[in-house]
Amino acid sequence: AKGAGRNRYFFYEEALSRAREDELELLSGLRDGLRQGHIIPFYQPRVCASDGKMVGVEALARWKHPVQGLIAPARFIPLAERAGLINHIGTTILEQAVKQRQIWAEGGLDLIMSVNVSLRQLCQPEFAAVVKKVLAIYDCPPDRLELELTETLFSESDPLLQANLAAVRDFGVRIAIDDFGTGYSNIARLNEMSVDCIKIDRSLISGLPRNQEMLTLVISMLNLMQVTIVAEGVETESVSDWTRQNGVHELQGYLFSPPVEPEAIEALADSQRLS
Ligand code: C2E
Ligand code: CA
Ligand code: CA
Ligand code: CA
């Protein structure tokens, strides 16, 4: 039995070091990918609940790996956070997204562009300056850019974070709370921050119709805050109908479209213009 225990320990050690090697390999690949411009945004439509028209898109990072194909953010964002690469990724996604928004706007497609921002990014001294510069380079109206922040971020007291948040708000950039309902929000604090938009997390939305009393309460409270209320992860007609009939303003989810390449967003916009 002792021998077996030692063996198990040995395998455990070996598995650990193999995982570590895999991670290092992934990380060096990610560094190369970043340098070569392989980290790109896909775009997922956000539609108006009352008429189904696309009002905006969310930029979601993808790693276009030359051998492995498309790699989802779950595989490289957490790693990028640990390795200090998230600022670099965040900036390249922000820049590509704002640039794409302006290309669309020049063609008559005026969308709100939502970009995810991690806690670490917001604590960078130069964050607000980078946002300002990207808006200026692509001549993007600040209120056409929305930054998605998670609710935990609002309980942070880091002075740099607070200064960055105040600065981007000051430019007129929109602020959205992402994954609402997954953390412990300080509602009073959220209200003070005067956010523009709240995205109710997919885990709450997919609980419909079981949790409809609770969601009704959440929505009426958010309505008091006068924010745009978005439902995330809308996958079925029945969920779409319920949210539309119960005060949600905008919807996002596979029912409408998964995250897609820019051409597919243009095709969707064209089909909506014709209908
Ligand atoms: P998120 O910001 O909450 O993004 C929504 C995620 O839900 C996306 O996954 C999207 O593809 C997925 N989704 C959308 N509709 C549905 C649906 O109807 N059903 C289901 N099951 N899923 C749906 P994705 O693209 O894999 O991104 C995962 C997470 O990675 C994002 O969650 C976000 O936290 C992070 N992420 C992605 N891009 C960036 C980025 O540029 N910067 C940062 N900091 N984080 C990012
Ligand atoms: Ca998001
Ligand atoms: Ca979300
Ligand atoms: Ca999420």
Side-chain angles (χ1 to χ4, degrees):
K2 233 184 196 163
R6 201 172 316 138
N7 260 342
R8 210 175 306 134
Y9 182 71
F10 177 75
F11 286 130
Y12 177 66
E13 284 272 271
E14 181 148 298
L16 255 188
S17 70
R18 208 175 303 134
R20 175 136 185 81
E21 265 170 42
D22 287 351
E23 179 163 310
L24 285 176
E25 204 176 300
L26 194 66
L27 187 58
S28 91
L30 184 57
R31 285 210 174 86
D32 291 343
L34 259 169
R35 251 194 309 273
Q36 291 160 15
H38 293 165
I39 310 297
I40 57 157
F42 268 35
Y43 301 97
Q44 187 178 34
R46 200 157 105 188
V47 308
C48 173
S50 54
D51 64 10
K53 296 256 156 116
M54 179 164 53
V55 287
V57 292
E58 176 177 1
L60 291 154
R62 297 290 181 267
W63 178 359
K64 222 169 187 170
H65 195 282
V67 184
Q68 295 181 46
L70 272 192
I71 301 180
R75 274 198 63 204
F76 64 90
I77 295 279
L79 175 67
E81 297 256 6
R82 288 199 295 279
L85 285 179
I86 193 65
N87 295 318
H88 197 341
I89 290 181
T91 304
T92 184
I93 295 297
L94 174 72
E95 178 155 18
Q96 293 177 76
V98 169
K99 180 178 182 185
Q100 181 63 66
R101 200 215 86 85
Q102 284 316 96
I103 292 172
W104 284 331
E106 280 155 25
L109 180 60
D110 188 18
L111 298 171
I112 292 185
M113 178 60 72
S114 298
V115 175
N116 293 284
V117 176
S118 80
L119 177 64
R120 278 187 75 138
Q121 263 181 287
L122 211 59
C123 292
Q124 283 295 300
E126 65 273 25
F127 177 76
V130 168
V131 171
K132 190 174 192 175
K133 191 169 150 204
V134 168
L135 289 172
I137 290 173
Y138 298 105
D139 203 20
C140 175
D143 68 352
R144 306 271 88 192
L145 174 66
E146 183 171 86
L147 301 178
E148 295 194 2
L149 319 172
T150 53
E151 51 185 323
T152 48
L153 221 142
F154 287 84
S155 44
E156 295 282 330
S157 56
D158 185 308
L160 263 177
L161 182 152
Q162 294 304 334
N164 276 325
L165 205 52
V168 291
R169 281 220 58 97
D170 226 46
F171 306 156
V173 168
R174 297 165 57 96
I175 304 292
I177 304 298
D178 203 358
D179 303 342
F180 182 80
T182 58
Y184 294 94
S185 288
N186 181 336
I187 301 293
R189 182 116 182 80
L190 280 186
N191 205 13
E192 258 166 45
M193 301 297 310
S194 66
V195 301
D196 302 281
C197 170
I198 296 213
K199 302 185 77 175
I200 303 175
D201 192 66
R202 174 160 58 89
S203 59
L204 291 184
I205 297 300
S206 65
L208 281 167
R210 195 174 18 85
N211 60 349
Q212 55 179 315
E213 270 101 12
M214 186 267 285
L215 265 179
T216 306
L217 269 172
V218 168
I219 292 165
S220 57
M221 180 194 75
L222 295 181
N223 266 317
L224 290 176
M225 288 170 60
Q226 294 182 299
V227 290
T228 300
I229 305 170
V230 180
E232 290 194 302
V234 177
E235 294 182 347
T236 64
E237 288 290 352
S238 63
V239 166
S240 168
D241 288 343
W242 190 93
T243 49
R244 253 185 304 114
Q245 288 154 12
N246 287 275
V248 172
H249 306 121
E250 293 174 9
L251 315 177
Q252 192 178 335
Y254 293 169
L255 178 65
F256 309 101
S257 168
V260 290
E261 290 180 276
E263 297 72 34
I265 294 292
E266 289 153 28
L268 180 66
D270 284 341
S271 74
Q272 290 195 332
R273 258 194 287 260
L274 296 173
S275 69

